[in-house]
Amino acid sequence: MSQVEKKAGLLRRTSSSKKPLKEKVVLMYDEIFAVNLEYLESKLESVNGEEVQRIQDNINSLFHHCVQALGEEHQIKVVNALQTLCALFRGVHQKNKSASGFDIINMLMGFDKAERRMKDLMERLDSLLCGDSSESLKSLCLKLLLCLVTVTDNISQNTILEYVMINSIFEAILQILSDPSSRGQHGYDAVVLLALLVNYRKYESVNPYIVKLSIVDDEPTLDGMGVVLHQALTEYNRQYKDKEEENQGGFFSTLTSMVGSMFIADVDEKLSVQTNEAILLALYEAVHLNRNFITVLAQSHPEIDIPVTPSTPTPTTPTTPLGTTPPSLDVMNNPELPLDPNLQTSNLLITFLKYASIVMQDTKDEHRLNSARLCLIILTCIAEDQYADAFLHDDNINFRVSLHRMPMRHRKKAAGKNIPSRPLVCAVLDLMVEFIVTHMMKDFPMDLYLRCVQIIHKLLCYQKKCRIRLHYTWRELWSALINLLKFLLSNETTLLAKHNIFHLALLVVNLFNMFITYGDTFLPTSNSYDELYYEIVRMHQVFDNLYCMVLRVSTNTGQWKEAASKVTHALVNIRAIINHFNPKIESYAAVNHISQLSEEQVLEVVRSNYDTLTLKLQDGLDQFERYSEQPKEAAFFKELVGDPMRSSLSLLIQPRYPSRFSFPRPSCHSLISPSVFLTIHSSAVPSVHPLSFHHRSIRPQPVSLLFLLRL
């Protein structure tokens, strides 16, 4: 017999193009190692109310045995206990969606014993996470905790989490993040879990996870959190870039070139990818709650294209949407990248800005709108922080930041190689300008526009305060703001039916007032100040029309009278500039017999007539209201950690034993039927030798849940 035949053993011989068939005993092994969580969940959902009451004691007993099994030495017993607990949490919650949190607790573990049961569970999970158990077990512990946190539509209605608040695992999460090896394996799940726990009843009671996160000052821990967030966002950016390049060089590019721009929308739709609110939420909580984390945003490292290689066999579960998967273990295990003076450096803030430039392109549905809103809230917190502002404006630390720009017919795609190296604040301003220019549409995202303009205002306040003369193409910003005012005027009737457009108009006008009043303290050159006046005079018709509109509304009784009146007063200096320079420009043209003046000729008129211009001093232009999550943002964050978050996590909390876990193979006699989950009642259920299935004509079927619970 040939060597090949010896290796084949009892397997049937097949053609080389086909996979060899498995022995029946191998199929039985697969059955034994496959814990049927779906079956347990479906059985719990299928039993009626009377049956549930009848088997409640057995469910309590099963839960208790699972918790006890977590202390076993045999890892397979612990694995199956963890997976069974996950199925119990999900199954009981699905069956009793309308029940109160107390009823759920009573069904799972008995209300009188719940405190002790949950204390034991959390202590054993903490011990597994902090001890020297296998990485696979630690991973499953985190999956169980994620399952527990996300079983309800509203996280704050998950009463079981009260026990997670009392029996904190915060230190275990920090230990995972501070250790490079552990972080590489479990960092993604750890930061997502922390972000969710922070949002449990955050507005109703003292959440210990909020308190503890706000005072963390351990550098390795904060750095570790930053590494996880950076790699997750980097992976999303890389996947988006790959997909963009694939579409540009593939079939859609060819088709578009053949038939013109007819199919541009179809190509764009293909690039519409799912965002990752879980990671964004974790980044927000870190930036918002912990001032020490701001320093992590600025830590630089070389920026390279990171190859992604699968670290585990391809799972049999459905493909996770783009952006919701954690980065590969190879990436997470190698946070220290090789230094190369020829490589462009990057940091978490740059990666986030690139991510935001992708997310903010498409805000057509509620899900993407919320993701863009969260990006802008994070930028708002950053723009208010003094250390972050100092880093953003540091002229000695420059970066080339290639932001993604929405495809538009009237402009060419910018070449990434031509991007200058500038302070990071320029990239933030570019992102704001890009959003302003590209979202003037029927379904107007008013909230996002307000946030964009406010971020710009906060950055200008810092520049004015510190007298920072930023070398930036301010004319692009001025042009974008004027076009925004023009859009508001053109769509007054439609927009007023939904929004207070006068509030946005006031913020835009006051940005111009900031430049007019304080521009000499932060504009880079006197020419920049001249160009500001030139733009105002050149586009005077927009400001004139705005004044006519707000004057009309403010002189009539109506809902918007007061709001329009504020804009009227804010326009006083802009109108003074227009009324002062326009006659002089016309006079200059008449005297010199010029029908149309050039830009330089207009600037000459402006420069020679500053002395006779009279402006009014306006108070409060360099003041702003600081960001506060409560009460303004409370409803948004409650919605964010609801169904959208649970959907993005649904595929992350259902591991499969065969593809995810690897343990030393136990002896055959230590295994029992998968339908009783191998270990939960090992004292009550006799061991089953796997070979006993070998001569059966049919494969073993799952045992009834009622039989299981009555063992």
Side-chain angles (χ1 to χ4, degrees), residues 485-501:
L485 291 176
K486 188 176 181 180
F487 175 82
L488 297 180
L489 289 168
S490 302
N491 298 273
E492 173 192 352
T493 305
T494 304
L495 293 176
L496 275 178
K498 299 179 181 180
H499 309 291
N500 177 6
I501 63 173

Side-chain angles (χ1 to χ4, degrees), residues 194-195 198-199 202 207 209-216 281-294 381 627 629:
L194 179 59
V198 162
N199 279 271
K202 64 193 305 187
N207 183 319
Y209 290 85
I210 293 179
V211 177
K212 292 180 178 181
L213 179 58
S214 65
I215 60 175
V216 173
L281 182 65
L283 176 59
Y284 163 75
E285 297 296 356
V287 170
H288 177 235
L289 294 176
N290 193 301
R291 291 207 64 198
N292 298 316
F293 187 78
I294 293 295
C381 295
Y627 170 78
E629 184 179 312

